[in-house]
């Protein structure tokens, strides 16, 4: 059996992975709001940077509200985002209040399950970005990085189609 210290180290490692995936998912979310569903035409680089800075300072709850003001989400994806927001905030802000967290095995289970959830949210938003990239024709950029061809093929086949499944309508502002 593992020593208590080794088990604790495993828990901390998994929590660290969860935090890294939060950063990935949150960055993809902000990128989608900035580029894919900006709410208005952003054809000025200075305005784009200003909006990006504003998104960087916003809470995740505010970002979810902003997304809902710009698109109609299907119920399934809205539930996924709501659960992600709840679990993310529990891990980041209230980890000591997570039910069962005092048990290292429960903490490990929560961390591993949350990693899957954060990866799913992050890759879904990456798929949204990819759909946008195809729409605005980023083919010249893709040609400069041929080593990413397999990566983009996976995103195109697995994650990009979710935009049509999860977004029911884009609101025009």
């Amino acid at each position: 059996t593992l020593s208590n210290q080794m088990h604790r180290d495993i828990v901390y490692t998994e929590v660290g992975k969860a935090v890294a995936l939060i950063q990935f998912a949150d960055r993809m979310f902000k990128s989608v709001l900035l580029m894919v569903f900006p709410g208005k035409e952003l054809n000025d680089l200075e305005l784009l940077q200003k909006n990006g800075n504003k998104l960087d300072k916003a809470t995740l709850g505010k970002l979810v509200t902003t997304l809902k003001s710009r698109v109609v989400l299907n119920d399934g994806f809205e539930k996924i985002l709501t659960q992600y927001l709840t679990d993310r905030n529990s891990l980041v802000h209230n980890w000591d209040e997570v039910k069962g967290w005092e048990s290292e095995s429960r903490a490990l289970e929560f961390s591993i399950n949350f990693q899957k959830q954060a990866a799913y949210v992050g890759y879904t938003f990456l798929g949204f970005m990819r759909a946008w990239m195809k729409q605005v024709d980023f083919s010249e950029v893709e040609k400069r990085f041929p080593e990413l061809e397999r990566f983009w093929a996976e995103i195109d086949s697995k994650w990009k189609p979710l935009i049509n499944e999860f977004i029911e309508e884009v609101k025009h502002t």
Side-chain angles (χ1 to χ4, degrees):
T1 64
L2 292 174
S3 72
N4 284 345
Q5 184 59 46
M6 287 178 70
H7 194 263
R8 199 169 300 119
D9 289 348
I10 291 169
V11 171
Y12 290 144
T13 298
E14 295 305 321
V15 169
K17 289 178 187 177
V19 170
L21 284 164
I22 286 172
Q23 293 170 334
F24 163 67
D26 288 3
R27 174 56 42 212
M28 289 296 98
F29 192 0
K30 290 173 183 177
S31 297
V32 163
L33 285 173
L34 184 63
M35 307 298 285
V36 182
F37 305 120
K40 58 185 167 209
E41 192 66 34
L42 294 177
N43 50 13
D44 179 285
L45 190 57
E46 194 173 306
L47 185 59
L48 186 67
Q49 187 167 6
K50 182 180 173 186
N51 281 0
N53 291 339
K54 190 189 306 184
L55 289 173
D56 281 340
K57 294 175 185 168
T59 65
L60 190 63
K62 175 69 175 152
L63 296 177
V64 170
T65 301
T66 300
L67 179 65
K68 289 179 183 180
S69 75
R70 297 177 184 177
V71 299
V72 177
L73 301 172
N74 82 2
D75 291 340
F77 189 58
E78 189 164 349
K79 286 178 187 170
I80 289 168
L81 270 183
T82 300
Q83 189 62 53
Y84 170 76
L85 176 62
T86 299
D87 291 347
R88 176 205 179 276
N89 287 343
S90 293
L91 184 63
V92 172
H93 301 295
N94 306 312
W95 63 268
D96 55 335
E97 296 175 12
V98 174
K99 186 176 182 179
W101 193 261
E102 62 279 354
S103 157
E104 287 181 359
S105 60
R106 174 65 182 113
L108 183 61
E109 179 186 350
F110 179 91
S111 298
I112 291 171
N113 288 336
F114 181 76
Q115 288 173 35
K116 294 173 189 173
Q117 184 182 31
Y120 185 84
V121 168
Y123 275 104
T124 297
F125 283 128
L126 179 58
F128 290 8
M129 284 294 297
R130 184 64 177 162
W132 173 79
M133 288 171 68
K134 289 288 192 179
Q135 183 180 352
V136 297
D137 189 16
F138 264 61
S139 58
E140 288 303 313
V141 174
E142 292 172 9
K143 288 177 190 172
R144 288 191 282 165
F145 301 98
E147 64 274 13
L148 294 176
E149 186 175 334
R150 286 183 39 203
F151 172 74
W152 289 128
E154 180 183 342
I155 300 302
D156 287 348
S157 67
K158 184 174 181 179
W159 298 100
K160 188 180 84 170
L162 294 179
I163 195 168
N164 295 324
E165 187 176 322
F166 289 157
I167 304 297
E168 293 184 0
E169 173 189 344
V170 176
K171 298 176 183 177
H172 298 284
T173 55

